[in-house]
Amino acid sequence: MNTLSRRALLATGAALPLAAARPAHAQVTTLDMPPALLPVKPDDTVAPGYRRDVLARWGDRVTFDALPWNPAAPTPEAAATQFGWDGRICALVPQPAAADGIGRAVLAVAHPTVDPAMAFPGGRDRPAVAAMMQGASLLNLERQGGRWIVADGGYQSRRLTAETLCRITGPASASVGEAVQGLLAVSGGCATPWGTLLLAEDDPAPWSTRLAPLDARFRDALRFGWVAELDPLDPSAVPAKRTALARFPRGDAAAALGRDGRAVVYLSDRRAFGHLFRFVSDGPAAEPGALEQGTLAVARLAGQGIRWEALPRDAQTLLNPIAAAAGLGATAFDLPSGLAVDGSRLFLACKGNAARRPDQVDRLNPRAGSNAGHVVEIRPTGGDHGSDEASASLLLTGGAPEPRHAGLGTAWPEAPATLALDGRGRLWIGTDHDGRVGPAPDALYGCDTQGAGRGLALPLYGAPRGAALGGAAMSPDGAALFALVRTPGAEPGASYGRPGTRWPAFDPTLPPRSTLVSFTRLGGGAVGG
């Protein structure tokens, strides 16, 4: 494709063509994307029949008083009002219907990292700026003119950063303290059925070390590494770090209701050989502060399924649940990362673990020495997320299609990192190779979870060179799928001045930018068919 036609397509957001594909998949799946080959290139790739639009980029305005973006001379004050350098979609929260009939929602995006080599001219770290780039953004979305857009300076739009005041609640607050300023390394999160937003902090140690010279509070790492809860529709809500959900490096969180109305929160331990945890509240989820008291348990393989083993209810366990989990024989997964849940199922993305030996494989981690990863499906007994037992099986293995799907396409998920379920029960899988450039780009796949096409993943989108997929979320009306293209051009050896691509603008004076995009079907209709 020549430069003129490529730029014309980028300007209009029109679909870029995939490689030739066969329509045989239509016989086994409800998805309307064809199996295809995804090329590695500076541009992105959109499935035929779909349009990609840009909604927000690193440096774009979030708060009403945002300062202009100047990547050559960033300041903490400006970064605290702008969309962050990195990004991962945590949740989409629909707003109550308004009298004007306009569809509205709040989208929560985590900003986990800031790489000095890619974010700052010359690669010299600027910790005070980085502290404001990381954290989270809450964006107001509206449906206008038949499309979903970001409402510029919307009422609930806000940034959460290293300066955000947080409460600390629950059993470990006596040991940790009752308040702290700052959210650090937010890696994932979710909307809850009881109307709140959970933001999960990852391992805070790298950020604590990086920011310690700025302020003594960052030296107290125990005040970071928790799950924060807040009301996403209240722009003045103070996040509450819930210590009952324990402190460990998290990949993601997913929330559900038990059959008896109690709150259930699943948490992935983002390490090679990491665990899968579950918290069940003592009281009903509808009660204020339901996440302040409850039982933390860990998944252990048992027969053809798993069993949730309760951990001791003491402050020491909450500060180091990994040690307690190992003592109970908890199953060690292959870098557990993204989570997605509905009324009767939980899905877990395992990104892969080349360190697993042949003598360490099991039913839910079946391969040794592989970074290709897989997706696990867990079905609680009786459809009750509060049950202590569940069946568990593999939905798909990464790297290459299973024999039953052979010949239906050459693009296939590898290193699955993020998951999202849509209203039809289909799973959207985002991959992340940490910037490594291989034979195919990171991509976003749709996957049926039942029927003849169960476990068949088809590509909707291929990211530009060096970029990863930072999650997805479906609009309330099903007409748009939002996705986060994170850290384009950030391949090994790249820098601010010499990135792997300058997507999305291809402006030689600008660095590449993490970008929130939306996908819609040309001619209308629900995404995915």
Side-chain angles (χ1 to χ4, degrees):
M1 184 178 293
N2 60 49
T3 301
L4 178 60
S5 60
R6 173 179 62 78
R7 291 191 181 280
L9 285 168
L10 286 169
T12 63
L16 292 168
L18 287 170
R22 289 172 290 176
H25 76 285
Q27 302 171 11
V28 295
T29 179
T30 63
L31 291 159
D32 67 350
M33 296 95 68
L37 173 68
L38 294 178
V40 176
K41 56 194 178 82
D43 285 350
D44 54 357
T45 305
V46 184
Y50 280 89
R51 176 189 179 100
R52 186 268 294 145
D53 288 297
V54 169
L55 274 67
R57 303 156 297 179
W58 165 37
D60 279 353
R61 164 177 163 150
V62 173
T63 66
F64 72 93
D65 57 350
L67 299 172
W69 182 57
N70 183 359
T75 66
E77 294 77 16
T81 66
Q82 301 164 345
F83 199 71
W85 178 79
D86 188 6
R88 186 196 184 285
I89 290 177
C90 295
L92 185 141
V93 182
Q95 296 200 48
D100 60 11
I102 295 176
R104 293 184 174 88
V106 171
L107 185 73
V109 176
H111 304 298
T113 68
V114 179
D115 180 358
M118 296 296 299
F120 302 128
R124 180 179 62 84
D125 196 12
R126 306 185 188 200
V129 178
M132 300 297 103
M133 285 182 177
Q134 67 89 53
S137 292
L138 272 60
L139 303 174
N140 278 110
L141 303 183
E142 292 183 357
R143 184 168 171 82
Q144 294 186 4
R147 293 186 186 175
W148 284 88
I149 64 167
V150 173
D152 188 29
Y155 170 65
Q156 286 122 337
S157 294
R158 65 186 292 197
R159 279 298 323 277
L160 304 170
T161 69
E163 295 297 318
T164 300
L165 178 65
C166 301
R167 295 186 294 125
I168 300 178
T169 74
S173 60
S175 303
V176 177
E178 296 183 351
V180 66
Q181 197 171 359
L183 284 166
L184 293 184
V186 179
S187 59
C190 65
T192 70
W194 50 95
T196 65
L197 171 68
L198 301 183
L199 296 174
E201 293 179 309
D202 196 355
D203 180 5
W207 276 107
S208 295
T209 300
R210 190 174 180 181
L211 303 182
L214 300 178
D215 194 301
R217 74 176 185 276
F218 296 118
R219 297 172 194 152
D220 186 0
L222 288 182
R223 297 198 174 194
F224 307 98
W226 304 96
V227 174
E229 183 178 27
L230 72 154
D231 181 351
L233 303 184
D234 179 0
S236 64
V238 176
K241 297 191 179 186
R242 305 299 194 188
T243 63
L245 276 64
R247 182 179 183 272
F248 58 91
R250 289 180 182 80
D252 204 3
L257 288 175
R259 183 164 293 170
D260 58 4
R262 289 184 295 168
V264 177
V265 180
Y266 295 102
L267 303 159
S268 59
D269 165 19
R270 198 181 66 85
R271 301 174 301 124
F273 301 107
H275 304 307
L276 177 63
F277 290 93
R278 185 193 70 173
F279 172 87
V280 180
S281 66
D282 286 346
E287 292 183 353
L291 300 188
E292 294 187 13
Q293 296 288 340
T295 299
L296 187 69
V298 68
R300 179 179 63 82
L301 270 172
Q304 295 303 303
I306 63 168
R307 179 169 180 80
W308 294 103
E309 301 289 349
L311 275 61
R313 294 180 63 153
D314 56 56
Q316 185 56 43
T317 296
L318 298 179
L319 294 174
N320 187 9
I322 292 173
L328 292 173
T331 296
F333 291 90
D334 287 338
L335 193 57
S337 299
L339 295 167
V341 68
D342 63 15
S344 61
R345 302 173 298 174
L346 171 72
F347 293 93
L348 167 67
C350 292
K351 196 175 170 184
N353 177 13
R356 187 177 291 273
R357 303 189 309 268
D359 63 327
Q360 295 174 311
V361 301
D362 57 47
R363 267 196 323 107
L364 301 184
N365 302 278
R367 293 184 292 186
S370 174
N371 280 324
H374 53 276
V375 177
V376 176
E377 180 180 9
I378 297 172
R379 290 181 174 267
T381 299
D384 180 9
H385 285 286
S387 173
D388 287 337
E389 296 182 345
S391 64
S393 61
L394 294 181
L395 176 69
L396 63 80
T397 53
E402 298 174 4
R404 65 192 177 106
H405 297 320
L408 290 179
T410 54
W412 192 256
E414 186 176 83
T418 60
L419 302 176
L421 280 164
D422 66 19
R424 299 187 179 188
R426 292 177 298 204
L427 198 65
W428 296 93
I429 304 168
T431 68
D432 183 356
H433 285 90
D434 300 311
R436 296 188 302 273
V437 178
D442 279 312
L444 180 64
Y445 295 84
C447 181
D448 282 338
T449 59
Q450 53 193 359
R454 181 183 185 275
L456 171 59
L458 298 173
L460 173 66
Y461 178 75
R465 183 182 178 100
L469 263 294
M474 188 69 74
S475 65
D477 59 3
L481 182 69
F482 308 108
L484 208 301
V485 184
R486 62 188 299 189
T487 65
E491 58 193 73
S495 66
Y496 179 95
R498 299 186 66 182
T501 179
R502 291 190 180 273
W503 186 89
F506 294 97
D507 184 333
T509 67
L510 294 176
R513 306 163 77 175
S514 292
T515 300
L516 174 67
V517 299
S518 68
F519 302 103
T520 53
R521 289 181 66 180
L522 298 175
V527 174

